Amino acid sequence: MASLITCPHCGRRPREEFSIRGDAVPERPAPAASEEAWHAYVYLRENPRGKIREYWHHVAGCRRWLVVERDNLTHEVFAVTDARDMANGGAA
Amino acid sequence: MRYSALSILRHALSGNRGWKPAWREPQPKPHYDVIIVGGGGHGLSTAYYLAKEFGIKNIAVLEKGYIGSGNVGRNTTIVRSNYLLEGNIPFYEFSLKLWEGLEADLNYNAMVSQRGVMMLAHSDGQRDAFARRGNAMRMHGVDAELLDREDLQKMMPYLNYDHARFPIKAGLLQKRGGTARHDAVAWGYARGADSHGVDIIQHCEVSAIRRDDKGRVTGVETSKGFIGCNKLALATAGHSSETARMADLRLPIETHVLQAFVSEGIKPVIDNVIVYGGGHFYISQSDKGGLVFGADIDYYSSYAQRGNLAIVESTMEEGVSLIPGLSRLRVLRSWGGVMDMSMDGSPIIDRTPIENLYLNAGWCYGGFKATPASGFCFAHLIARNEPHHVARALRLDRFERGYAVDEAGKGPQPNIH
Ligand SMILES: Cc1cc2nc3c(=O)[nH]c(=O)nc-3n(C[C@H](O)[C@H](O)[C@H](O)COP(=O)(O)OP(=O)(O)OC[C@H]3O[C@@H](n4cnc5c(N)ncnc54)[C@H](O)[C@@H]3O)c2cc1C
Ligand SMILES: [Zn+2]
């Protein structure tokens, strides 16, 4: 259930402790990238039904940014990774 | 068959055995001038106005479930036009005017009830913001009244006026706002469209969009086989990204679930629609006596038509903090609906970069009130290939052009609009 998230630092915590930013898939373009690239990054979303990656912020816990991989139809959670580890090519 | 008091009497005398179904259940034809995907409020009203006002006759509405199974039958039925921005006010006011004549136009009792929508302010800043909004409305000829605390205490004595954190300071009232019976709106438009020859095809899911070698749309693959068309119109609220993807389009939309609740029935107590400005809570009383209410979306993206318990709890907390007496009531039912949350909280009624493909999407949790105008303006666009003047700000390319219509000034994050 997406009502309970296992934070890699704090363990299983209720959803109320988190603030959700949204899609974690788009990658920030270089500052001088084209307007089209920036428009796509800021505004356009795949928004698939099924498996997604989302940024969650553990505001009422360790205050780390996390990447939650889950299914947005069944609410099954597959993995929760610290966003820094994810950016460094860590887990998943 | 025309409905009237006389027809009710006549059918009662013959044991009510002569009523006919309100619309046909046709098999799809091989080809239509216009196919509308999605038999929610917007798809059905589009079909109705296309046939009635714009003279297009050969139309089908394809619905994957049954009529009324989507958001049109899941919302909290609030109808209003108390918006702030230039791009929105004339559109929603056009919609409210259509609501005012809807039942006569459709010959169907949609239970449109102009009981007034009251938005409460809980700080001086919020009061000023409502004064500004009221003025913007009045400049467009829309009714708005700013009431003070004493006026409110007379109208709504049961509110918690002296809440420590969110005392009630003022209220912005739109008397012409109110509610409508959501299912009846779907059924009324379905019956109206059918009577103008529209084929309403239920249990027909669109799975792909077929295009020719020049990229033009030529028809759709469905669970009932291929159906050809000259023009294809998407009105698949909540699933717009999924249907647009069938034509390789990516939209400025994320899908989220919103929950709604109804209490046990009680004697009349809440005469109007009340919107709590301390949080985000809205409540009205149905004609059966149940209190109908809702609050925020669940915040994480969801295609599941059910929500999480954290929001159930915070909705109840908001309700009780505004109306302490609610704590004595039992909640009977709750449910969820999945909606397109757009990047500026405003909808899209536009052509797409693909020839013959038209898009109606991004209604967030405010699209029920828009049902008549959305259908009318979408029909105008499909029939004439140019936007209706009240919907011309609701373009798909407004983000890249720098013309977002962001009522709340929140920026490009769908879950906070
Ligand atoms: C809980 C809740 C409360 C709300 N409260 C209010 C309110 O008080 N006031 C207000 O103005 N708005 C409110 N809204 C918003 C409003 O309900 C929606 O914006 C509006 O109903 C969306 O338009 P629709 O009626 O056409 O959507 P829907 O009824 O959802 O229609 C879309 C249809 O498309 C169909 N579809 C999807 N994919 C396919 C496919 N591939 N093939 C065929 N068919 C497909 C779906 O089955 C669905 O029937 C609320 C929404 C919710 C969920
Ligand atoms: Zn943590």
Side-chain angles (χ1 to χ4, degrees):
Chain A
M1 276 296 287
S3 293
L4 285 173
I5 293 293
T6 306
C7 173
H9 310 292
C10 312
R12 231 149 80 106
R13 310 300 303 171
R15 179 239 162 278
E16 296 92 302
E17 290 188 1
F18 298 85
S19 167
I20 298 141
R21 172 71 178 87
D23 197 348
V25 174
E27 279 179 31
R28 177 180 277 263
S34 66
E35 278 186 25
E36 292 75 49
W38 274 100
H39 167 249
Y41 169 70
V42 177
Y43 292 109
L44 301 183
R45 295 291 177 265
E46 272 317 314
N47 189 27
R49 176 174 57 189
K51 202 169 173 178
I52 60 156
R53 270 200 254 157
E54 220 169 28
Y55 281 124
W56 290 49
H57 188 197
H58 198 181
V59 269
C62 58
R63 301 191 64 82
R64 295 292 296 175
W65 279 97
L66 310 173
V67 174
V68 176
E69 287 178 82
R70 58 183 191 86
D71 188 307
N72 65 10
L73 189 60
T74 63
H75 292 329
E76 190 183 345
V77 177
F78 305 112
V80 183
T81 315
D82 190 287
R84 168 64 59 198
D85 295 341
M86 188 73 111
N88 291 341
Chain B
M1 179 194 302
R2 245 194 106 68
Y3 296 154
S4 66
L6 199 67
S7 73
I8 292 176
L9 199 67
R10 202 154 24 86
H11 282 288
L13 293 176
S14 60
N16 280 318
R17 280 185 300 266
W19 294 107
K20 299 254 158 41
W23 61 84
R24 298 163 296 132
E25 290 204 28
Q27 285 305 309
K29 290 186 239 168
H31 189 275
Y32 290 92
D33 290 342
V34 178
I35 288 180
I36 296 161
V37 186
H42 294 215
L44 293 167
S45 64
T46 303
Y48 174 72
Y49 293 116
L50 262 178
K52 176 165 179 278
E53 304 289 337
F54 298 94
I56 293 182
K57 288 297 171 226
N58 191 19
I59 305 168
V61 176
L62 310 183
E63 165 56 47
K64 73 173 173 188
Y66 58 89
I67 295 306
S69 58
N71 294 325
V72 70
R74 292 169 182 268
N75 64 76
T76 44
T77 78
I78 301 169
V79 165
R80 56 185 176 86
S81 64
N82 54 0
Y83 280 72
L84 171 70
L85 297 182
E86 195 70 42
N88 276 331
I89 304 175
F91 174 80
Y92 287 102
E93 178 58 13
F94 178 53
S95 208
L96 193 51
K97 292 225 169 78
L98 289 173
W99 281 113
E100 287 171 330
L102 188 71
E103 293 163 319
D105 187 32
L106 291 177
N107 175 232
Y108 202 88
N109 183 5
M111 294 168 68
V112 176
S113 162
Q114 293 182 290
R115 58 185 67 186
V117 173
M118 178 75 81
M119 297 180 39
L120 299 171
H122 307 268
S123 66
D124 294 341
Q126 206 170 25
R127 185 184 185 287
D128 290 348
F130 282 176
R132 175 175 174 236
R133 187 197 288 221
N135 287 337
M137 291 163 63
R138 290 168 79 134
M139 280 162 65
H140 280 90
V142 181
D143 68 303
E145 282 170 61
L146 194 62
L147 302 184
D148 61 25
R149 197 179 144 97
E150 286 67 42
D151 303 327
L152 290 167
Q153 269 164 332
K154 280 189 219 115
M155 274 178 84
M156 306 169 171
Y158 47 82
L159 299 181
N160 186 2
Y161 286 87
D162 297 311
H163 191 281
R165 173 68 181 82
F166 298 113
I168 296 171
K169 297 271 188 180
L172 184 66
L173 175 65
Q174 183 179 28
K175 278 193 178 149
R176 287 165 57 245
T179 58
R181 167 91 195 273
H182 52 7
D183 306 308
V185 172
W187 300 332
Y189 273 118
R191 172 172 169 269
D194 177 88
S195 75
H196 284 92
V198 173
D199 282 357
I200 295 171
I201 300 163
Q202 304 183 70
H203 306 290
C204 180
E205 178 163 7
V206 171
S207 54
I209 295 175
R210 199 185 279 182
R211 290 154 73 187
D212 65 14
D213 48 11
K214 297 210 175 67
R216 291 176 301 216
V217 171
T218 57
V220 285
E221 309 288 348
T222 78
S223 49
K224 299 193 182 211
F226 175 79
I227 311 175
C229 64
N230 296 343
K231 293 183 176 182
L232 182 67
L234 303 178
T236 51
H239 292 85
S240 299
S241 299
E242 291 281 319
T243 49
R245 197 186 341 273
M246 297 174 191
D248 304 319
L249 283 179
R250 281 206 303 161
L251 301 181
I253 283 173
E254 232 178 54
T255 296
H256 287 264
V257 62
L258 177 68
Q259 308 189 52
F261 306 84
V262 65
S263 78
E264 59 190 319
I266 52 171
K267 286 183 181 170
V269 50
I270 296 182
D271 301 328
N272 321 84
V273 177
I274 304 173
V275 184
Y276 183 32
H280 183 226
F281 174 87
Y282 34 91
I283 187 165
S284 65
Q285 187 164 17
S286 82
D287 293 356
K288 282 190 289 187
L291 302 185
V292 180
F293 55 95
D296 283 311
I297 60 174
D298 277 23
Y299 292 117
Y300 50 65
S301 120
S302 175
Y303 276 92
Q305 288 183 331
R306 63 198 144 79
N308 70 43
L309 283 171
I311 291 292
V312 176
E313 187 177 28
S314 72
T315 304
M316 303 304 148
E317 283 169 355
E318 283 192 62
V320 172
S321 91
L322 178 67
I323 308 175
L326 285 187
S327 65
R328 305 271 197 93
L329 282 182
R330 276 166 292 221
V331 172
L332 280 192
R333 289 184 291 127
S334 73
W335 61 92
V338 300
M339 309 156 313
D340 294 344
M341 293 301 294
S342 70
M343 284 288 174
D344 59 359
S346 293
I348 295 157
I349 302 177
D350 204 355
R351 285 170 294 213
T352 67
I354 291 155
E355 210 173 321
N356 304 337
L357 183 66
Y358 299 79
L359 179 68
N360 179 310
W363 290 97
C364 304
Y365 42 76
F368 178 67
K369 69 174 89 70
T371 306
S374 166
F376 198 101
C377 296
F378 200 33
H380 183 286
L381 178 78
I382 297 163
R384 307 214 171 136
N385 258 323
E386 59 187 53
H388 187 281
H389 65 93
V390 298
R392 60 180 190 266
L394 308 178
R395 293 171 57 142
L396 176 59
D397 67 358
R398 64 178 181 263
F399 301 100
E400 55 189 297
R401 291 167 53 252
Y403 290 95
V405 184
D406 189 343
E407 275 282 322
K410 286 175 173 169
Q413 188 173 336
N415 64 349
I416 56 173
H417 281 292

